[in-house]
Amino acid sequence: MRRRDLIRLGGIGLVSGTSLLIGCSNASVAPTPTFSVTETTTANASPPTSAQTPVPQTSAAPSTAVLTIYSGRSRSLIGPLLDRVGQEVGLDVRVRYGDTAELATAILEEGDRSPADLSFGQDAGALGALAKEGRLIPLPVELLERVPAAFRSRQGLWIGISGRVRTVVYNTDRVRAEEIPASIVDFAGNGRWRGRLGWAPTNGSFQAFVTALRRLRGEDVARSWLESLKALETRVFPNNATIVQATINGEVEAGFVNHYYLMRERAQAGRPLPAENFFYTNGDPGGLVNVAGVGILVTSRAQDAALRFLDYLLTTAAQRYFAEQTFEYPLVKGVSAHPDLPPLETLNPPALDLSDLDDLRGTLSLLQEVGLL
Amino acid sequence: MQTHDLLALVIVLLAVIPVLYLVWRAAGGGERTLATLLHPRTGQLLLRSVGLAAAVAGTSAVVALPLACLTERVAVPGRRWIGVLVALPLAVPSYLTAYAVVAAFGPRGALASLLDRSVGSFRLPEVYGFFGAWLTLTLVTYPYSYLAVRAALRGFDPAFEEVARTLGTGRWMRFWRVTVPLLGPAVLSGMLLAALYTLSDFGAIAILRYSTLTYSVYNQYRLSFDRSAAAGLALLLVSLAVMLVLAAREWQRRVAFYRTVGVRRPQAALRLRWWGWLLVLASSVFPALALGLPVGMALYWFARARAIGEVLPSVGEPLVNTLWVSLLAGAVTVAAAFPVSRSVVRGRRRLATVLDVPLWIAYGLPGIVLALALVSISVRFAPWLYQTIPLLIFGYTLRFLSEAVGTLRGTLVQQNPRLEEAARTLGMRPWQVWVKVQLPLTLPGLVNAYAAVFLTTVKELPVTLLLSPIDFRTLSTTVWNATADAFWSHAALPALLLVCVGVAPMGLLGWWQERAEGRRGIQ
């Protein structure tokens, strides 16, 4: 049973008797994992990491520390990993799942009272926005250096955990690869695609792509691209997964997604699917390589626990999970991507520093002005 | 003023706190709020919301009338069971029905592939957008109209029509001057519920991609750094709902008429002609779809997951959570509703009016708006409440308070206050009067209100989604999250359980009432 909960419960005078009832039921439902810290070192798959981690061991019984994570990545995708990490590191991990931008705005709204310790964002943009608002602590250099400089914050305020590439998923029965415009910008105003495209304006990765487009080509191009695709009756989906399914079904012919959703569908289907990913390898904004990453909150009272957690995410074992289970690009050296994917080095993404994607605020207002949110 | 009146006042004041907060927050935005409200898109969203609500309310009434006549006035075998069955879709959450509608009528749905195989390529009407939203919301809301009309038919006094006949009026005249005014209030209250449901729904709307004001409020609130504009939009939505409620109430007050002397006679059984049966048949499509589609789809998901040997996550925890939270929400809501309804019925007239206004506002407050306001309020002013179970229960209580008060009020009005006075003169203490006289008389109302709150809590989505503590999963949030990520097989079992948990008390209550009513019967 968590003390914080009890204190909260105790303070409530809404309905007499309520607190008592809840206190009981919580106690019976919540098992507290009791792994010790020593397990961490032995369980770690990559030997050098944990020994080097500058994690000051505080006196506040670390084995039962509660770590609250706000995850913009879905439970189905990384729930198993988070559960496992919690056990391996000996933490009682609690996760609030939601859209990346939603959780970022929630953290800002919560301000100094935010219960979050660690933000696991779906894209660099939302993490950048949190960093910009002064919500993240600088991370230890030792942790940062395990990931190439391109995939972490310039100021060391967040770090990429796994890489994901923006692609155009298309239905191979309806679309030939040659038909896909050489630049994603050229989808705009192209009648060939009227009513045949899918996008997810509420999705964090899509929003980060819009931020990239604003950065690379300017505000006007981004705005007219959005307006034009809206005028082309591009269909709105709640997320990438549904776009990919609709593409496979032929409900739409192509959609703007991250690369790994199709891989997951293939793994589940067990039969050839009529869909392919189109990778922009010509430096076009459409081929943005983004990261899912982690930042630790200044308001967190469990920063040590958060660092231990982060440390584990950068071990070979955890990185393999991303390669094998979520089909993302592992970012730590020595762990290779899924064999079905083009290697990270061949992708040739647009020249853009991921730290410059931090204007989520501007992108959200743009999406609202265009009428997509 | 007596203590219980004061208690009632405090409770209804709590109920309008979210609205007051929104006003304050929207005002804080100043020009930005105004700019958002005056943006052309806002008008467009408003029109969509109103149009959809009107269409759904209209169809649900049209569907409900023949069905209510059938189960109440026509001597068909097993009509009581049909009556229970027709009302059951009340237990199915709208987002589940929405998925089922897409699965059945979507571009690659069951119907499309069936047609593909038999007729060849054939283009179905687009399910996404207005059509799908209208169909889905009609399927989930017609039971409200049905229950209201059925109750009115049950109390229908044949004398009025007979008198009209003796006065030589024609059939149409009688219909317009007698039947419509008699059934009108019930039809209207059913339509009002359907319209309010439509205005506040966001699950089905999101799935069917028909953006309305509600959905926009949800997204703007979630995805903007400046929430004052979103608060302004939310207020617009609230005022729309409240206006609807007040207009309906005004009309109902005007048309009410009833027998002043004598006793109502039982009604004669109605004989349907061929077109009557046709009408009934056409209407039955709705209950069949409303129950068959979601249950069928969940069973299909389940069977497919079993067939490929997929290991499904355990649903024990969400089930237990759903059960105890809903049971608790029912108890707290009814407990809060009782003093309020008592004061409304028994208190001074002025007090009743004062209590009434916040209740109507709370009635029109969409769940999503309520939840968002409570999130902000608790974060700012009561961080110790943020993401806790008590706040969740509080949210449910505010959400369903008006409905519970409505039900209890109906029961209390029928009680003669003289009974209590008599008990007091016979030397009973106030608590004894309450236990020995009032409680037994009020029990049916309490049970009904409790069952209704329980049922709606089980399937409630927005309040649960936004106010639940971290890692607290219920059946409805499990289904919602699994389907949002397209993990259909993971949604199967919780969806089935959700319907079962909701249907069980509905069926039981329906059967209980039908049995009580059945003794009277039709002749």
Side-chain angles (χ1 to χ4, degrees):
Chain A
M1 185 65 199
R2 295 81 181 226
R3 207 174 41 185
R4 227 195 315 176
D5 259 18
L6 275 182
I7 293 169
R8 278 190 200 161
L9 286 172
I12 286 111
L14 269 181
V15 190
S16 54
T18 317
S19 349
L20 193 72
L21 256 169
I22 293 153
C24 296
S25 66
N26 256 5
S28 58
V29 177
T32 313
T34 49
F35 296 92
S36 64
V37 200
T38 45
E39 268 185 53
T40 318
T41 38
T42 49
N44 256 337
S46 117
T49 53
S50 58
Q52 295 167 4
T53 320
V55 175
Q57 299 293 327
T58 49
S59 52
S63 57
T64 52
V66 175
L67 187 70
T68 303
I69 298 175
Y70 276 21
S71 172
R73 318 205 54 200
S74 69
R75 182 193 292 273
S76 41
L77 216 52
I78 58 159
L81 177 72
L82 297 187
D83 289 347
R84 200 171 80 195
V85 178
Q87 287 182 4
E88 301 270 358
V89 186
L91 294 169
D92 182 358
V93 173
R94 297 183 191 184
V95 193
R96 173 174 167 187
Y97 294 96
D99 283 323
T100 300
E102 170 192 2
L103 294 173
T105 52
I107 286 174
L108 295 180
E109 174 98 0
E110 289 161 4
D112 293 340
R113 291 171 291 238
S114 177
D117 295 309
L118 184 144
S119 165
F120 199 164
Q122 205 190 80
D123 75 285
L127 286 165
L130 286 179
K132 201 174 173 184
E133 307 275 344
R135 307 313 304 172
L136 302 180
I137 61 164
L139 298 171
V141 175
E142 185 280 326
L143 285 183
L144 289 168
E145 281 179 347
R146 285 192 232 164
V147 162
F151 302 125
R152 54 180 147 97
S153 144
R154 262 197 306 262
Q155 295 86 22
L157 295 171
W158 54 261
I159 183 168
I161 301 292
S162 57
R164 56 258 307 280
V165 186
R166 292 298 292 176
T167 60
V168 175
V169 67
Y170 62 98
N171 184 305
T172 46
D173 293 340
R174 313 266 180 108
V175 179
R176 283 171 291 119
E178 309 88 77
E179 286 181 277
I180 295 186
S183 168
I184 198 153
V185 180
D186 298 335
F187 273 103
N190 187 339
R192 149 88 179 82
W193 301 102
R194 180 173 295 279
R196 294 172 179 179
L197 293 170
W199 62 7
T202 53
N203 175 263
S205 302
F206 177 79
Q207 288 159 356
F209 157 72
V210 173
T211 313
L213 194 61
R214 291 170 59 217
R215 274 272 162 184
L216 291 163
R217 296 290 171 91
E219 203 71 28
D220 294 340
V221 173
R223 177 189 294 270
S224 67
W225 188 80
L226 290 170
E227 280 170 349
S228 168
L229 269 103
K230 192 182 174 219
L232 282 177
E233 294 156 34
T234 299
R235 297 183 181 218
V236 174
F237 288 84
N239 52 34
N240 285 311
T242 43
I243 296 179
V244 170
Q245 289 193 324
T247 308
I248 293 167
N249 290 338
E251 243 181 84
V252 292
E253 295 188 358
F256 307 112
V257 294
N258 288 338
H259 74 274
Y260 48 88
Y261 291 92
L262 178 61
M263 312 278 290
R264 205 181 72 194
E265 285 296 329
R266 279 181 182 153
Q268 280 188 333
R271 64 186 164 94
L273 295 174
E276 277 295 342
N277 269 323
F278 182 90
F279 288 82
Y280 281 105
T281 52
N282 53 358
D284 190 76
L288 176 72
V289 177
N290 204 334
V291 294
V294 165
I296 296 173
L297 298 208
V298 282
T299 47
S300 164
R301 272 172 290 177
Q303 290 178 355
D304 300 340
L307 282 169
R308 278 190 290 150
F309 187 87
L310 173 53
D311 171 46
Y312 189 88
L313 287 179
L314 295 167
T315 59
T316 314
Q319 290 284 306
R320 269 204 199 112
Y321 176 91
F322 290 112
E324 289 158 14
Q325 301 296 319
T326 72
F327 306 104
E328 288 171 284
Y329 286 94
L331 295 179
V332 170
K333 225 175 269 174
V335 188
S336 48
H338 195 275
D340 290 350
L341 285 172
L344 193 58
E345 306 81 59
T346 63
L347 288 176
N348 186 29
L352 182 77
D353 190 328
L354 291 181
S355 296
D356 292 333
L357 290 181
D358 58 1
D359 188 20
L360 178 61
R361 196 188 276 264
T363 295
L364 290 178
S365 338
L366 177 63
L367 288 171
Q368 274 168 17
E369 279 167 39
V370 177
L372 283 171
L373 284 186
Chain B
M1 190 182 282
Q2 288 174 315
T3 33
H4 56 81
D5 288 339
L6 203 65
L7 185 65
L9 213 57
V10 170
I11 292 172
V12 294
L13 281 182
L14 279 177
V16 281
I17 282 182
V19 180
L20 298 179
Y21 171 79
L22 285 176
V23 172
W24 177 71
R25 189 77 189 256
E31 280 175 28
R32 286 191 312 274
T33 309
L34 209 61
T36 309
L37 285 177
L38 296 177
H39 198 280
R41 183 171 156 78
T42 306
Q44 195 189 338
L45 290 169
L46 192 67
L47 274 180
R48 283 171 155 231
S49 281
V50 172
L52 185 65
V56 169
T59 345
S60 76
V62 169
V63 169
L65 267 168
L67 290 172
C69 282
L70 176 78
T71 57
E72 206 48 43
R73 297 283 302 270
V74 182
V76 283
R79 68 186 181 91
R80 272 186 260 155
W81 287 106
I82 301 175
V84 173
L85 216 58
V86 168
L88 277 188
L90 212 56
V92 182
S94 65
Y95 51 92
L96 202 60
T97 309
Y99 276 115
V101 163
V102 172
F105 305 118
R108 286 293 172 274
L111 187 60
S113 61
L114 196 75
L115 286 173
D116 242 16
R117 257 175 270 149
S118 50
V119 198
S121 100
F122 178 83
R123 203 155 172 85
L124 284 169
E126 174 74 59
V127 72
Y128 295 110
F130 181 83
F131 172 71
W134 163 80
L135 177 64
T136 303
L137 287 164
T138 304
L139 290 180
V140 290
T141 56
Y142 84 82
Y144 289 113
S145 291
Y146 168 75
L147 288 175
V149 175
R150 198 181 67 172
L153 278 176
R154 213 162 258 184
F156 201 87
D157 194 337
F160 290 114
E161 278 183 305
E162 289 163 13
V163 169
R165 195 175 232 170
T166 56
L167 292 174
T169 49
R171 184 191 290 167
W172 285 107
M173 188 70 168
R174 277 206 302 280
F175 178 72
W176 283 115
R177 301 296 296 273
V178 179
T179 317
V180 167
L182 272 176
L183 288 186
V187 173
L188 195 74
S189 69
M191 282 173 71
L192 176 68
L193 283 171
L196 286 177
Y197 191 106
T198 307
L199 278 187
S200 69
D201 181 84
F202 99 108
I205 293 298
I207 293 155
L208 294 158
R209 302 180 211 147
Y210 188 69
S211 43
T212 57
L213 194 55
T214 316
Y215 193 52
S216 177
V217 166
Y218 171 65
N219 271 332
Q220 296 231 2
Y221 221 93
R222 255 174 1 136
L223 302 174
S224 35
F225 285 83
D226 168 28
R227 292 187 169 175
S228 50
L233 282 182
L235 274 181
L236 185 65
L237 187 62
V238 174
S239 4
L240 187 67
V242 172
M243 266 164 17
L244 208 65
V245 169
L246 291 178
R249 190 172 78 136
E250 191 52 38
W251 194 78
Q252 273 175 339
R253 221 179 7 208
R254 279 192 207 164
V255 297
F257 70 101
Y258 41 79
R259 173 188 281 274
T260 46
V261 285
V263 177
R264 177 166 67 84
R265 279 182 298 109
Q267 307 163 41
L270 199 67
R271 278 224 187 83
L272 287 185
R273 306 221 193 134
W274 64 270
W275 54 267
W277 283 111
L278 208 66
L279 220 61
V280 166
L281 202 69
S283 310
S284 326
V285 170
F286 283 80
L289 289 179
L291 265 185
L293 285 183
V295 172
M297 177 186 60
L299 283 173
Y300 170 74
W301 285 342
F302 187 63
R304 202 177 51 172
R306 288 294 295 273
I308 61 171
E310 192 173 349
V311 183
L312 297 177
S314 148
V315 288
E317 195 191 316
L319 175 65
V320 171
N321 284 345
T322 301
L323 284 175
W324 74 261
V325 164
S326 307
L327 288 170
L328 189 61
V332 175
T333 309
V334 172
F338 185 74
V340 177
S341 42
R342 214 195 109 91
S343 291
V344 170
V345 174
R346 296 286 158 79
R348 296 230 182 92
R349 172 157 287 197
R350 194 184 295 165
L351 176 74
T353 319
V354 169
L355 290 176
D356 237 11
V357 177
L359 278 176
W360 286 112
I361 295 178
Y363 194 46
L365 191 65
I368 190 84
V369 176
L370 170 74
L372 290 166
L374 283 182
V375 167
S376 297
I377 294 171
S378 62
V379 159
R380 288 190 165 212
F381 306 110
W384 38 272
L385 257 182
Y386 183 54
Q387 291 177 348
T388 61
I389 292 286
L391 187 69
L392 179 66
I393 300 288
F394 184 59
Y396 287 138
T397 306
L398 295 196
R399 178 100 176 81
F400 304 126
L401 181 71
S402 305
E403 276 175 67
V405 169
T407 309
L408 286 179
R409 212 168 162 166
T411 314
L412 283 176
V413 167
Q414 291 166 6
Q415 283 174 30
N416 193 336
R418 301 280 141 69
L419 277 176
E420 292 158 46
E421 288 160 17
R424 285 301 298 276
T425 56
L426 290 173
M428 276 193 183
R429 301 193 161 275
W431 67 267
Q432 285 174 315
V433 175
W434 156 233
V435 171
K436 292 196 172 161
V437 180
Q438 218 168 12
L439 189 64
L441 285 173
T442 324
L443 200 61
L446 288 172
V447 170
N448 262 332
Y450 186 88
V453 176
F454 174 82
L455 177 78
T456 28
T457 308
V458 165
K459 64 171 190 167
E460 208 283 338
L461 185 66
V463 170
T464 318
L465 210 53
L466 289 162
L467 297 183
S468 284
I470 292 173
D471 266 358
F472 184 83
R473 285 189 291 160
T474 66
L475 291 175
S476 63
T477 59
T478 308
V479 172
W480 175 254
N481 288 328
T483 47
D485 291 336
F487 275 76
W488 310 113
S489 52
H490 292 195
L493 209 51
L496 283 173
L497 282 174
L498 190 65
V499 175
C500 290
V501 169
V503 159
M506 278 267 321
L508 215 64
L509 208 66
W511 172 77
W512 182 50
Q513 282 170 352
E514 290 294 335
R515 210 182 51 159
E517 285 292 330
R519 296 200 190 101
R520 192 164 48 77
I522 48 172
Q523 296 176 342

